[in-house]
Amino acid sequence: MLTLLTWQALRGQPLVHPDGATLGAAGLIALAAALGTTTALRLSVGRSGDDRTPERAKQPVR
């Protein structure tokens, strides 16, 4: 996001009134973040809870 704001400033665009190119770039950043989050969540949900349980927690209590 900092890169987007820097790019906007270097082009002389006002912060509160971005042009179409800035809005398009912000949309691409938001899309990439959403896809990355969705992918990470799907990968973590696909794992079984037992895989992350330490071995000693699986042993019966005596």
Side-chain angles (χ1 to χ4, degrees):
M1 216 48 184
L2 180 62
T3 304
L4 178 64
L5 291 175
T6 302
W7 178 58
Q8 185 178 359
L10 290 173
R11 294 184 310 116
Q13 296 295 315
L15 184 62
V16 294
H17 298 292
D19 64 349
T22 303
L23 290 175
L28 288 175
I29 291 171
L31 179 64
L35 287 174
T37 301
T38 302
T39 301
L41 289 174
R42 285 182 186 227
L43 289 175
S44 68
V45 169
R47 292 184 180 175
S48 147
D50 294 339
D51 293 339
R52 292 175 280 173
T53 304
E55 284 300 317
R56 62 189 160 138
K58 292 180 184 178
Q59 296 175 357
V61 179
R62 297 180 197 201

